[in-house]
Amino acid sequence: ISSFYCCESKVDYQVNLNEGSEYRGALADFSYGKKEFNFVCNLNKVYAKANWNLASLSTEKDHKTFYVSFYHHARHTYAKMENYGVCEDESSLNFFGTSSIERGAKTSVTHQSAKIMVFDEKCKAKASPILCIDENDVEASHAAVVGQINEDHIFYLTSRGIPEDEAKKLITLGYLNPILNYFDDEKTLEEIKSSIERRF
């Protein structure tokens, strides 16, 4: 199990899984500035399993790019990635996901999804899922959504007396807070919650 809170300006991280091993990873990024995070998971032996979860908030002039890659080298392997982000102001946020099932990796399963909620016209967001499948008898899927905040949600909250800025904050927290479920250490949880609060 690996749980990352924020990250340096550039991070490269790699995991190699052997037979029957399982990996669970989560990244909570609510830091400022320019970030590049590159995560590679090699599922090298049969019955290796990996789950990945990411939540990121990009505001002001932040520029953040995340590369998450799963490589299925053996039969009966499983991988799932879920990337969630919020992009505001003049910032940019990019998710690049790669799921590769190599020849010989029969009955492997790989899924990925990426969702970015966009608040402002000047911000830039991109979700780019890639499937590289070189084998039959496998299960693979991807989904990518980049879209503006739901105005109906804003209207619902403001019609009940909540200021628009506060309504956007509540929606953002509801969108990103699930990442907290992947952290057990109380001190880290409080740091993440505080960092989210500071971004508003």
Side-chain angles (χ1 to χ4, degrees):
I1 300 175
S2 298
S3 297
F4 303 92
Y5 164 51
C6 297
C7 59
E8 301 298 327
S9 59
K10 185 174 182 179
V11 174
D12 293 296
Y13 192 79
Q14 182 169 302
V15 172
N16 292 290
L17 301 180
N18 292 319
E19 183 174 347
S21 58
E22 181 175 352
Y23 173 82
R24 287 182 293 162
L27 170 62
D29 171 62
F30 303 108
S31 56
Y32 291 93
K34 184 177 181 180
K35 306 291 176 183
E36 181 178 317
F37 187 88
N38 183 29
F39 172 77
V40 175
C41 182
N42 292 301
L43 296 99
N44 295 320
K45 302 294 182 179
V46 294
Y47 300 114
K49 183 177 181 180
N51 283 276
W52 172 263
N53 293 270
L54 161 66
S56 181
L57 175 62
S58 183
T59 66
E60 299 178 3
K61 294 186 181 295
D62 293 344
H63 180 76
K64 300 183 178 183
T65 302
F66 299 89
Y67 301 91
V68 180
S69 302
F70 288 118
Y71 295 98
H72 298 257
H73 301 294
R75 297 175 295 112
H76 307 301
T77 53
Y78 174 91
K80 182 179 181 180
M81 74 170 78
E82 294 183 328
N83 301 322
Y84 291 86
V86 173
C87 192
E88 302 179 18
D89 304 319
E90 298 181 28
S91 67
S92 66
L93 180 61
N94 303 293
F95 291 156
F96 295 94
T98 298
S99 299
S100 177
I101 298 180
E102 297 184 356
R103 185 173 297 279
K106 291 181 178 293
T107 67
S108 290
V109 177
T110 193
H111 301 295
Q112 60 169 291
S113 64
K115 298 180 181 180
I116 303 177
M117 185 164 55
V118 177
F119 275 82
D120 301 292
E121 292 183 359
K122 291 185 178 181
C123 60
K124 297 178 181 179
K126 182 177 183 179
S128 180
I130 299 172
L131 293 179
C132 302
I133 310 301
D134 198 26
E135 185 57 87
N136 296 314
D137 191 21
V138 299
E139 183 179 332
S141 68
H142 67 73
V145 178
V146 176
Q148 293 183 335
I149 187 172
N150 192 317
E151 293 298 331
D152 290 339
H153 295 167
I154 294 290
F155 176 77
Y156 176 84
L157 294 172
T158 55
S159 66
R160 279 150 181 77
I162 299 175
E164 184 173 341
D165 287 346
E166 185 66 19
K168 289 182 178 179
K169 175 182 177 181
L170 291 172
I171 292 171
T172 300
L173 292 175
Y175 196 70
L176 298 177
N177 269 351
I179 195 68
L180 299 177
N181 296 326
Y182 299 94
F183 293 81
D184 297 322
D185 181 70
E186 288 297 327
K187 182 179 179 181
T188 301
L189 283 170
E190 288 304 317
E191 289 179 355
I192 295 173
K193 291 176 183 178
S194 297
S195 66
I196 295 174
E197 291 290 334
R198 286 195 298 269
R199 297 307 306 255
F200 294 98

